[in-house]
Amino acid sequence: MPDKIGKYRIINEVGQGSTGAVYLSHDPYYGRDVAIKLYNSEIDGEDDVRARTAKKMFFTEAQMVGRLQHPNILPIFDAGVEQDRYYVAMEHVHGARTLSTYCKAGNLLPLDDALKIVFTCARALHYAHSRKVIHRDIKPSNIILTLDNQVRIIDFGIALWADSEISRIEGIAGSPSYMSPEQIKSEDITAASDVYSLGVVMYELLTGHRPFKANSLAKLLHKIVYSTPVPIHQLREEVTEDLEEVVMRALRKKPEERYT
Protein backbone atom coordinates (compact mmCIF):
# COMPACT_ATOMS: atom_id res chain seq x y z
CA MET A 1 0.00 0.00 0.00
CA PRO A 2 1.50 3.36 -0.98
CA ASP A 3 1.85 6.08 1.68
CA LYS A 4 0.80 8.75 -0.76
CA ILE A 5 -0.40 9.19 -4.32
CA GLY A 6 -0.59 12.62 -5.90
CA LYS A 7 -1.55 15.04 -3.16
CA TYR A 8 -3.53 12.37 -1.29
CA ARG A 9 -2.31 10.66 1.88
CA ILE A 10 -3.37 7.00 1.96
CA ILE A 11 -5.01 5.93 5.24
CA ASN A 12 -6.07 2.32 4.67
CA GLU A 13 -7.44 -0.09 2.07
CA VAL A 14 -11.23 -0.40 1.98
CA GLY A 15 -11.77 -2.74 -0.95
CA GLN A 16 -10.40 -4.71 -3.89
CA GLY A 17 -11.86 -4.90 -7.38
CA SER A 18 -11.00 -6.55 -10.67
CA THR A 19 -9.07 -3.50 -11.87
CA GLY A 20 -7.42 -2.37 -8.64
CA ALA A 21 -7.80 -1.37 -5.02
CA VAL A 22 -9.79 1.37 -3.27
CA TYR A 23 -8.22 3.31 -0.41
CA LEU A 24 -9.57 5.70 2.19
CA SER A 25 -7.38 8.77 1.70
CA HIS A 26 -7.12 12.36 2.85
CA ASP A 27 -7.06 15.47 0.68
CA PRO A 28 -4.96 18.07 2.56
CA TYR A 29 -6.00 20.94 0.28
CA TYR A 30 -9.72 20.61 0.95
CA GLY A 31 -9.37 18.96 4.36
CA ARG A 32 -11.65 16.07 3.46
CA ASP A 33 -11.48 12.30 3.22
CA VAL A 34 -11.80 10.81 -0.26
CA ALA A 35 -11.85 7.35 -1.77
CA ILE A 36 -8.96 6.67 -4.15
CA LYS A 37 -9.34 3.96 -6.78
CA LEU A 38 -5.80 2.92 -7.71
CA TYR A 39 -5.69 0.88 -10.90
CA ASN A 40 -3.45 -2.19 -11.12
CA SER A 41 0.08 -1.60 -12.43
CA GLU A 42 -0.65 -3.97 -15.34
CA ILE A 43 -2.77 -1.22 -16.91
CA ASP A 44 0.21 -0.31 -19.12
CA GLY A 45 0.37 -3.74 -20.78
CA GLU A 46 -0.75 -2.63 -24.24
CA ASP A 47 -0.85 -6.18 -25.62
CA ASP A 48 -3.18 -7.50 -22.93
CA VAL A 49 -6.96 -7.17 -23.42
CA ARG A 50 -7.59 -6.74 -19.69
CA ALA A 51 -4.95 -4.01 -19.48
CA ARG A 52 -6.44 -2.15 -22.45
CA THR A 53 -9.92 -2.48 -20.92
CA ALA A 54 -8.70 -1.21 -17.54
CA LYS A 55 -7.04 1.77 -19.22
CA LYS A 56 -10.27 2.61 -21.07
CA MET A 57 -12.17 2.36 -17.79
CA PHE A 58 -9.71 4.76 -16.18
CA PHE A 59 -10.05 7.32 -18.97
CA THR A 60 -13.84 6.93 -18.92
CA GLU A 61 -13.93 7.73 -15.21
CA ALA A 62 -11.39 10.53 -15.67
CA GLN A 63 -13.71 12.16 -18.22
CA MET A 64 -16.44 12.17 -15.58
CA VAL A 65 -14.52 14.55 -13.29
CA GLY A 66 -16.92 17.37 -12.51
CA ARG A 67 -19.35 16.39 -15.29
CA LEU A 68 -22.09 14.65 -13.30
CA GLN A 69 -23.10 16.90 -10.44
CA HIS A 70 -26.21 15.35 -8.95
CA PRO A 71 -27.01 14.64 -5.27
CA ASN A 72 -27.64 10.97 -6.05
CA ILE A 73 -24.53 10.29 -8.17
CA LEU A 74 -21.23 9.78 -6.36
CA PRO A 75 -19.02 12.66 -7.53
CA ILE A 76 -15.58 12.09 -9.03
CA PHE A 77 -13.27 14.87 -7.84
CA ASP A 78 -9.98 14.18 -9.57
CA ALA A 79 -8.01 11.76 -11.75
CA GLY A 80 -4.36 11.50 -12.59
CA VAL A 81 -1.26 9.48 -13.37
CA GLU A 82 1.78 9.44 -11.10
CA GLN A 83 4.81 7.24 -11.82
CA ASP A 84 2.72 5.04 -14.11
CA ARG A 85 0.04 4.66 -11.44
CA TYR A 86 -3.45 5.60 -12.59
CA TYR A 87 -5.86 6.83 -9.94
CA VAL A 88 -9.32 8.36 -9.55
CA ALA A 89 -10.42 10.33 -6.46
CA MET A 90 -14.08 10.34 -5.48
CA GLU A 91 -16.31 11.13 -2.53
CA HIS A 92 -15.85 8.79 0.41
CA VAL A 93 -19.15 7.87 2.07
CA HIS A 94 -18.61 6.84 5.67
CA GLY A 95 -20.71 3.87 6.78
CA ALA A 96 -22.13 3.26 3.31
CA ARG A 97 -23.82 -0.01 2.45
CA THR A 98 -24.86 -1.31 -0.94
CA LEU A 99 -28.36 -2.13 -2.04
CA SER A 100 -27.35 -5.81 -2.18
CA THR A 101 -28.08 -5.91 1.57
CA TYR A 102 -31.80 -5.56 0.83
CA CYS A 103 -32.04 -7.91 -2.14
CA LYS A 104 -32.29 -11.05 -0.05
CA ALA A 105 -35.63 -12.76 0.58
CA GLY A 106 -35.23 -12.55 4.37
CA ASN A 107 -34.21 -8.88 4.46
CA LEU A 108 -36.55 -7.03 2.09
CA LEU A 109 -37.43 -3.37 2.56
CA PRO A 110 -41.02 -2.17 2.98
CA LEU A 111 -42.55 -1.43 -0.43
CA ASP A 112 -42.58 2.35 0.11
CA ASP A 113 -38.88 2.41 0.96
CA ALA A 114 -37.97 0.25 -2.05
CA LEU A 115 -39.99 2.51 -4.36
CA LYS A 116 -38.35 5.67 -3.02
CA ILE A 117 -34.91 4.19 -3.76
CA VAL A 118 -35.84 3.13 -7.30
CA PHE A 119 -37.50 6.49 -8.02
CA THR A 120 -34.37 8.30 -6.81
CA CYS A 121 -32.18 6.10 -9.02
CA ALA A 122 -34.44 6.75 -12.01
CA ARG A 123 -34.15 10.49 -11.46
CA ALA A 124 -30.35 10.29 -11.20
CA LEU A 125 -30.12 8.17 -14.36
CA HIS A 126 -32.38 10.60 -16.21
CA TYR A 127 -29.92 13.35 -15.27
CA ALA A 128 -26.97 11.29 -16.55
CA HIS A 129 -28.80 10.38 -19.77
CA SER A 130 -29.66 14.03 -20.38
CA ARG A 131 -25.89 14.62 -20.37
CA LYS A 132 -25.35 11.78 -22.84
CA VAL A 133 -23.89 9.37 -20.29
CA ILE A 134 -25.15 5.76 -20.12
CA HIS A 135 -24.03 3.87 -17.03
CA ARG A 136 -24.18 0.30 -18.48
CA ASP A 137 -23.62 -1.47 -15.14
CA ILE A 138 -26.59 -0.67 -12.92
CA LYS A 139 -26.85 -3.36 -10.22
CA PRO A 140 -27.42 -3.42 -6.44
CA SER A 141 -23.69 -3.29 -5.63
CA ASN A 142 -23.37 -0.08 -7.67
CA ILE A 143 -26.08 1.67 -5.66
CA ILE A 144 -25.11 2.68 -2.14
CA LEU A 145 -27.02 4.10 0.80
CA THR A 146 -25.47 6.60 3.19
CA LEU A 147 -25.92 6.48 6.96
CA ASP A 148 -29.01 8.70 6.58
CA ASN A 149 -30.34 6.53 3.72
CA GLN A 150 -29.48 8.87 0.88
CA VAL A 151 -28.94 7.11 -2.46
CA ARG A 152 -25.72 7.32 -4.52
CA ILE A 153 -25.12 5.63 -7.86
CA ILE A 154 -21.46 4.68 -8.19
CA ASP A 155 -18.92 3.23 -10.64
CA PHE A 156 -19.11 4.78 -14.10
CA GLY A 157 -16.03 2.82 -15.20
CA ILE A 158 -17.75 1.20 -18.20
CA ALA A 159 -20.11 4.06 -18.98
CA LEU A 160 -20.73 5.13 -22.56
CA TRP A 161 -20.28 8.84 -23.12
CA ALA A 162 -21.82 9.96 -26.39
CA ASP A 163 -19.09 12.51 -27.15
CA SER A 164 -16.20 10.18 -26.38
CA GLU A 165 -14.28 7.85 -28.66
CA ILE A 166 -12.56 5.90 -25.89
CA SER A 167 -15.41 4.86 -23.60
CA ARG A 168 -16.48 1.78 -25.59
CA ILE A 169 -15.17 -1.34 -23.85
CA GLU A 170 -14.19 -4.36 -25.94
CA GLY A 171 -16.71 -7.22 -26.01
CA ILE A 172 -19.68 -7.48 -23.66
CA ALA A 173 -19.42 -5.10 -20.72
CA GLY A 174 -21.61 -5.31 -17.65
CA SER A 175 -22.77 -7.78 -14.99
CA PRO A 176 -24.58 -10.69 -16.70
CA SER A 177 -27.68 -10.93 -14.46
CA TYR A 178 -28.43 -7.22 -14.92
CA MET A 179 -27.57 -6.81 -18.60
CA SER A 180 -30.27 -5.93 -21.10
CA PRO A 181 -30.98 -8.23 -24.06
CA GLU A 182 -29.36 -5.73 -26.42
CA GLN A 183 -26.18 -5.68 -24.31
CA ILE A 184 -25.97 -9.46 -24.55
CA LYS A 185 -26.46 -9.34 -28.31
CA SER A 186 -23.80 -6.60 -28.65
CA GLU A 187 -26.32 -4.25 -30.24
CA ASP A 188 -26.41 -0.48 -29.85
CA ILE A 189 -26.71 0.60 -26.22
CA THR A 190 -29.06 3.44 -25.32
CA ALA A 191 -30.55 4.87 -22.14
CA ALA A 192 -33.18 2.10 -22.39
CA SER A 193 -30.50 -0.40 -21.36
CA ASP A 194 -30.07 1.37 -18.00
CA VAL A 195 -33.87 1.35 -17.63
CA TYR A 196 -33.84 -2.44 -18.10
CA SER A 197 -31.06 -2.90 -15.53
CA LEU A 198 -32.91 -0.71 -13.03
CA GLY A 199 -35.98 -2.89 -13.67
CA VAL A 200 -33.93 -5.96 -12.69
CA VAL A 201 -32.83 -4.19 -9.51
CA MET A 202 -36.44 -3.26 -8.74
CA TYR A 203 -37.60 -6.87 -9.29
CA GLU A 204 -34.90 -8.07 -6.90
CA LEU A 205 -35.62 -5.38 -4.30
CA LEU A 206 -39.30 -6.33 -4.27
CA THR A 207 -38.89 -10.12 -4.27
CA GLY A 208 -35.41 -11.07 -3.09
CA HIS A 209 -34.94 -12.96 -6.38
CA ARG A 210 -33.42 -12.03 -9.72
CA PRO A 211 -35.71 -12.29 -12.75
CA PHE A 212 -33.50 -14.94 -14.35
CA LYS A 213 -31.24 -17.62 -12.88
CA ALA A 214 -29.38 -20.50 -14.52
CA ASN A 215 -26.56 -22.91 -13.75
CA SER A 216 -24.41 -21.66 -16.63
CA LEU A 217 -23.67 -18.30 -18.22
CA ALA A 218 -24.91 -19.44 -21.64
CA LYS A 219 -28.29 -20.51 -20.21
CA LEU A 220 -28.60 -17.28 -18.22
CA LEU A 221 -27.97 -15.12 -21.29
CA HIS A 222 -30.45 -17.20 -23.30
CA LYS A 223 -33.13 -16.64 -20.64
CA ILE A 224 -32.54 -12.89 -20.57
CA VAL A 225 -33.01 -12.69 -24.33
CA TYR A 226 -35.96 -15.08 -24.69
CA SER A 227 -37.69 -15.93 -21.37
CA THR A 228 -40.32 -14.23 -19.19
CA PRO A 229 -39.69 -13.75 -15.44
CA VAL A 230 -41.90 -15.31 -12.76
CA PRO A 231 -44.74 -12.82 -12.02
CA ILE A 232 -43.80 -10.72 -9.02
CA HIS A 233 -47.06 -11.29 -7.11
CA GLN A 234 -46.25 -14.99 -6.98
CA LEU A 235 -43.15 -14.15 -4.97
CA ARG A 236 -44.59 -11.30 -2.87
CA GLU A 237 -48.37 -11.10 -2.57
CA GLU A 238 -48.53 -7.49 -1.39
CA VAL A 239 -47.14 -6.20 -4.71
CA THR A 240 -50.04 -4.68 -6.63
CA GLU A 241 -50.91 -5.33 -10.25
CA ASP A 242 -50.01 -1.73 -11.20
CA LEU A 243 -46.60 -1.97 -9.53
CA GLU A 244 -45.90 -5.29 -11.20
CA GLU A 245 -46.74 -3.77 -14.59
CA VAL A 246 -44.22 -0.98 -13.98
CA VAL A 247 -41.44 -3.52 -13.40
CA MET A 248 -42.46 -5.73 -16.31
CA ARG A 249 -42.54 -2.80 -18.71
CA ALA A 250 -38.99 -1.87 -17.68
CA LEU A 251 -37.99 -5.49 -18.42
CA ARG A 252 -39.44 -5.70 -21.92
CA LYS A 253 -37.11 -7.26 -24.47
CA LYS A 254 -37.40 -4.46 -27.03
CA PRO A 255 -35.78 -1.20 -25.88
CA GLU A 256 -38.43 0.95 -27.55
CA GLU A 257 -41.18 -0.71 -25.43
CA ARG A 258 -39.60 0.33 -22.13
CA TYR A 259 -40.02 3.64 -20.35
CA THR A 260 -38.22 6.55 -22.00
Side-chain angles (χ1 to χ4, degrees), residues 46-105:
E46 291 294 342
D47 296 330
D48 181 76
V49 172
R50 288 185 64 182
R52 291 201 303 271
T53 299
K55 183 173 282 190
K56 286 182 180 180
M57 290 173 69
F58 164 76
F59 282 113
T60 297
E61 288 198 297
Q63 288 178 324
M64 297 295 169
V65 173
R67 288 188 178 275
L68 296 181
Q69 299 181 19
H70 189 278
N72 303 113
I73 294 176
L74 192 77
I76 296 176
F77 298 138
D78 188 17
V81 183
E82 183 188 73
Q83 297 176 344
D84 295 327
R85 295 186 299 188
Y86 294 73
Y87 67 91
V88 175
M90 61 199 87
E91 178 187 11
H92 175 69
V93 181
H94 290 278
R97 62 214 185 274
T98 74
L99 213 53
S100 304
T101 306
Y102 304 107
C103 289
K104 299 174 178 62

Side-chain angles (χ1 to χ4, degrees), residues 107-122:
N107 194 39
L108 298 179
L109 292 168
L111 287 184
D112 282 354
D113 291 344
L115 294 182
K116 285 177 185 175
I117 290 170
V118 174
F119 174 73
T120 302
C121 290

Side-chain angles (χ1 to χ4, degrees), residues 12-249:
N12 59 266
E13 183 179 311
V14 294
Q16 278 280 353
S18 59
T19 56
V22 178
Y23 299 99
L24 170 62
S25 310
H26 187 72
D27 181 345
Y29 289 88
Y30 288 98
R32 64 187 176 191
D33 287 343
V34 297
I36 296 286
K37 181 190 289 187
L38 182 61
Y39 280 80
N40 290 330
S41 57
E42 292 83 3
I43 194 171
D44 273 326
E46 291 294 342
D47 296 330
D48 181 76
V49 172
R50 288 185 64 182
R52 291 201 303 271
T53 299
K55 183 173 282 190
K56 286 182 180 180
M57 290 173 69
F58 164 76
F59 282 113
T60 297
E61 288 198 297
Q63 288 178 324
M64 297 295 169
V65 173
R67 288 188 178 275
L68 296 181
Q69 299 181 19
H70 189 278
N72 303 113
I73 294 176
L74 192 77
I76 296 176
F77 298 138
D78 188 17
V81 183
E82 183 188 73
Q83 297 176 344
D84 295 327
R85 295 186 299 188
Y86 294 73
Y87 67 91
V88 175
M90 61 199 87
E91 178 187 11
H92 175 69
V93 181
H94 290 278
R97 62 214 185 274
T98 74
L99 213 53
S100 304
T101 306
Y102 304 107
C103 289
K104 299 174 178 62
N107 194 39
L108 298 179
L109 292 168
L111 287 184
D112 282 354
D113 291 344
L115 294 182
K116 285 177 185 175
I117 290 170
V118 174
F119 174 73
T120 302
C121 290
R123 201 162 49 177
L125 286 173
H126 174 69
Y127 168 86
H129 296 160
S130 71
R131 279 145 186 81
K132 300 181 180 181
V133 175
I134 302 165
H135 189 285
R136 283 211 302 177
D137 199 19
I138 293 297
K139 56 185 176 181
S141 60
N142 278 341
I143 300 167
I144 62 174
L145 299 176
T146 67
L147 285 174
D148 58 352
N149 291 322
Q150 296 299 307
V151 174
R152 299 279 194 284
I153 294 177
I154 67 172
D155 203 349
F156 280 79
I158 67 166
L160 279 179
W161 181 29
D163 296 329
S164 170
E165 295 181 355
I166 63 171
S167 61
R168 186 173 295 277
I169 307 299
E170 294 176 29
I172 294 177
S175 303
S177 292
Y178 303 92
M179 289 196 305
S180 64
E182 61 270 24
Q183 275 180 290
I184 290 167
K185 294 187 287 185
S186 295
E187 295 176 351
D188 289 341
I189 304 300
T190 66
S193 189
D194 281 347
V195 172
Y196 179 93
S197 299
L198 186 60
V200 177
V201 172
M202 190 175 185
Y203 186 105
E204 196 173 6
L205 261 185
L206 294 175
T207 67
H209 301 276
R210 294 175 188 171
F212 303 107
K213 285 186 178 180
N215 55 15
S216 74
L217 178 60
K219 289 180 179 178
L220 173 63
L221 300 184
H222 186 273
K223 282 187 174 183
I224 292 172
V225 174
Y226 297 107
S227 299
T228 302
V230 174
I232 293 178
H233 67 269
Q234 292 183 18
L235 300 171
R236 189 171 180 179
E237 293 181 356
E238 62 185 301
V239 174
T240 65
E241 188 176 325
D242 287 346
L243 179 52
E244 183 166 330
E245 173 54 31
V246 168
V247 182
M248 300 312 288
R249 181 173 170 187

